[in-house]
Amino acid sequence: MEPYETRRSREAVEERNRVYGQHVKETMPKSNLLSGCIKAFLVGGLICCIGQGIRMFAAQSLMMDEQATNMFTCVVLVFLGATLTGLGVYDDIGRFAGGGSIVPITGFANSVVSPAMEHKREGLILGVGANLFKIAGPVLVNGITASVVYGVIYYLINLF
């Protein structure tokens, strides 16, 4: 048989956990999974359609080759994502669409600009500059490191 103090402390912890669980159920907003998926699909699809429109414009109207078209499309989408984040519009899109707003290229722009915007009161260098890659920085470092490692492995395999 366990000591009275241990049993009492375990009962207190279980009661605290039960009360906390009840509090979470009462205060947690109810989410509609189907509605959220539809919104994410539509907004993500719209972002992709805008990207395809930019791509078609670059290829047909500006007469760019395929490589230039791809770069132009990426630059314009990053610029739009960063600008909408700076204006506070991308946050509204994210609240509405959830995961649909993090289509890779615009989501990347948002992740770069968001921390910088939060610290802009601290100045251009210590605020914006120091926080620009706070979220995206580790992703870039890991991505670049992985690409170098894969490139070296690929090179070594092709030597033999």
Side-chain angles (χ1 to χ4, degrees):
M1 185 137 189
E2 62 187 323
Y4 176 75
E5 294 84 26
T6 305
R7 187 174 49 224
R8 185 176 170 136
S9 64
R10 185 177 326 127
E11 289 170 356
V13 169
E14 290 171 0
E15 177 64 18
R16 184 192 67 208
N17 290 343
R18 187 190 64 73
V19 169
Y20 178 72
Q22 177 107 14
H23 174 71
V24 168
K25 281 183 180 179
E26 292 171 359
T27 58
M28 189 95 160
K30 304 291 183 239
S31 66
N32 186 341
L33 183 63
L34 179 61
S35 172
C37 287
I38 291 171
K39 290 176 184 178
F41 176 78
L42 292 175
V43 171
L46 179 63
I47 293 171
C48 292
C49 287
I50 291 169
Q52 184 63 32
I54 294 167
R55 192 177 193 311
M56 291 169 56
F57 171 76
Q60 294 171 0
S61 298
L62 302 178
M63 304 295 189
M64 293 181 171
D65 65 0
E66 186 174 351
Q67 186 176 7
T69 299
N70 293 339
M71 286 188 278
F72 180 79
T73 304
C74 288
V75 167
V76 171
L77 285 173
V78 167
F79 174 77
L80 289 174
T83 302
L84 291 174
T85 299
L87 296 173
V89 174
Y90 209 89
D91 292 338
D92 296 334
I93 294 170
R95 273 191 287 283
F96 175 78
S101 67
I102 56 171
V103 173
I105 197 80
T106 55
F108 169 76
N110 178 262
S111 71
V112 169
V113 175
S114 289
M117 295 303 296
E118 290 177 18
H119 298 277
K120 67 182 176 183
R121 282 183 247 141
E122 297 171 21
L124 287 177
I125 304 297
L126 295 177
V128 175
N131 292 291
L132 196 57
F133 292 104
K134 189 177 265 186
I135 294 175
V139 174
L140 290 172
V141 168
N142 288 321
I144 292 168
T145 304
S147 67
V148 168
V149 170
Y150 297 148
V152 169
I153 292 171
Y154 181 76
Y155 176 75
L156 292 174
I157 288 173
N158 285 328
L159 281 178
F160 302 108

